Amino acid sequence: MPNTLYLVPSPIGNLNEVSPRVKEILNSVSFIACEDTRNTQKLLALLNISKPCVSCHEHNEISESQIIAKRILNGEDCAYLSDAGFPCISDPGFLLTKECIKNNIEIIPLSGPNAALLALVGSGLDTTHFMFYGFLDSKISKKEAEIAGFLNYKYTIILYEAPHRIDETLSSLYKILGNRKIVIARELTKMYEEFIRSDLKTLCEEKREYKGELVLVLEGKKEEIKEINDEIVEKAKALEKLGYSKKEISSIISIIYSINKNKVYKELIKD
Ligand code: SAM
């Protein structure tokens, strides 16, 4: 009978967001592994749960994962918690999960709070498709190279950021991507929760002070102009005067403005 690794979310601010199922699993497992034993012990104390905790964090995850997987194989169940939100999401837990899968241990993730998804659903930006990117690099050159990678991405982008880096990140985003809608979700689930719905240009000019924990939800690349407008008609006329055929003009215009070639051709032969 395989034993289980439970991936258990912890509150990102509001302690009432610990579900009855999370409590039940924390009560039932043989031991708890966590990013920081002091933080998790505080949470367990609030829930009136007493369990042995071992630490498994960024700096010891490779070696600890093997020890934890062995214990599970020997018949114990384990719950893994990071300091806040989901383990594995900009937090440790991924290497442990991988090690357990390698050992055919069952993985059961529990539902719960996650800053990225709360920010996205409250943002009012398009939720049809989105990318969770997490933290950008702290070095500005690497950060800007990462941002350049977003240039042609059409869908909503979710970033985590620390308050002392937000000004630099907003100006890099504006410099590289131009003006776009952005929503900053601050202190989610806490008393001073706030959604700042704005755009990059305005936020860069305003120079606000951002306190607490922040998620950035950024609009994807806007659709190119798809309709034929006066500017395009003028350009077509100029090309015609230069002796280009209607077919050639359609091709040139379609490349410049990312418009369907046939649509342009139909417009040119209209009169
Ligand atoms: N594992 C967590 C999750 O599932 O959301 C993320 C942990 S990551 C180390 C911490 C970052 O998440 C913060 O810097 C911030 O960007 C975001 N975050 C965490 N709690 C938040 C909150 N209450 N409000 C806004 N952002 C939060």
Side-chain angles (χ1 to χ4, degrees):
M1 175 77 176
N3 282 295
T4 304
L5 171 71
Y6 293 94
L7 296 169
V8 178
S10 41
I12 60 166
N14 191 325
L15 294 173
N16 287 330
E17 294 197 337
V18 177
S19 73
R21 186 171 181 224
V22 163
K23 283 184 207 160
E24 181 194 310
I25 296 297
L26 291 177
N27 262 313
S28 75
V29 290
S30 338
F31 72 106
I32 287 172
C34 54
E35 182 178 5
D36 185 328
T37 49
R38 284 161 306 176
N39 281 344
T40 301
Q41 286 291 6
K42 271 188 214 153
L43 178 66
L44 293 176
L46 285 167
L47 302 173
N48 275 324
I49 297 171
S50 166
K51 279 282 151 166
C53 284
V54 297
S55 88
C56 176
H57 48 73
E58 210 188 336
H59 305 291
N60 70 359
E61 197 176 350
I62 296 178
S63 55
E64 274 307 310
S65 293
Q66 291 169 0
I67 298 168
I68 294 167
K70 261 194 202 124
R71 286 183 66 174
I72 300 174
L73 286 172
N74 284 335
E76 294 182 275
D77 279 326
C78 173
Y80 183 73
L81 291 87
S82 65
D83 281 348
F86 278 120
C88 308
I89 302 298
S90 299
D91 264 347
F94 166 67
L95 297 177
L96 174 62
T97 305
K98 227 168 80 165
E99 182 65 25
C100 288
I101 291 170
K102 197 171 96 188
N103 286 284
N104 292 320
I105 291 166
E106 188 182 16
I107 307 292
I108 300 188
L110 305 194
S111 318
N114 163 251
L117 285 179
L118 288 178
L120 175 70
V121 298
S123 71
L125 295 183
D126 191 356
T127 55
T128 320
H129 305 287
F130 62 88
M131 162 169 69
F132 169 68
Y133 194 83
F135 287 102
L136 292 161
D137 202 281
S138 54
K139 266 202 188 134
I140 184 132
S141 56
K142 285 194 183 164
K143 178 191 290 196
E144 295 198 339
E146 288 175 306
I147 294 173
F150 303 157
L151 262 168
N152 288 319
Y153 188 76
K154 288 195 289 184
Y155 308 116
T156 305
I157 300 163
I158 309 170
L159 302 168
Y160 283 162
E161 192 49 286
H164 65 281
R165 294 212 185 95
I166 181 85
D167 287 338
E168 183 189 90
T169 298
L170 288 174
S171 34
S172 295
L173 287 167
Y174 182 43
K175 183 171 83 181
I176 296 165
L177 304 177
N179 201 18
R180 288 188 184 192
K181 285 185 192 162
I182 185 164
V183 177
I184 300 188
R186 208 176 68 78
E187 295 288 85
L188 291 161
T189 79
K190 303 185 198 175
M191 192 191 292
Y192 296 108
E193 174 172 307
E194 182 185 20
F195 280 87
I196 303 162
R197 299 185 178 83
S198 187
D199 58 68
L200 286 170
K201 184 170 183 284
T202 310
L203 291 187
C204 286
E205 285 167 0
E206 273 177 4
K207 298 220 175 304
R208 290 174 182 236
E209 201 187 332
Y210 300 93
K211 284 191 184 144
E213 300 201 87
L214 310 166
V215 182
L216 276 53
V217 188
L218 182 68
E219 181 183 44
K221 185 188 179 187
K222 286 195 207 97
E223 285 291 306
E224 303 286 348
I225 309 164
K226 288 281 185 280
E227 292 310 316
I228 294 172
N229 56 26
D230 290 349
E231 182 191 324
I232 295 173
V233 173
E234 286 306 309
K235 191 145 279 168
K237 279 185 189 158
L239 290 168
E240 215 167 6
K241 273 192 194 148
L242 289 170
Y244 286 96
S245 72
K246 288 191 165 53
K247 240 177 149 180
E248 286 167 329
I249 297 171
S250 309
S251 300
I252 298 168
I253 297 280
S254 77
I255 292 167
I256 302 176
Y257 292 98
S258 309
I259 302 181
N260 180 283
K261 204 158 61 177
N262 294 332
K263 201 170 176 179
V264 183
Y265 189 76
K266 272 189 200 149
E267 182 70 23
L268 292 177
I269 58 167
K270 219 167 62 182
D271 36 44

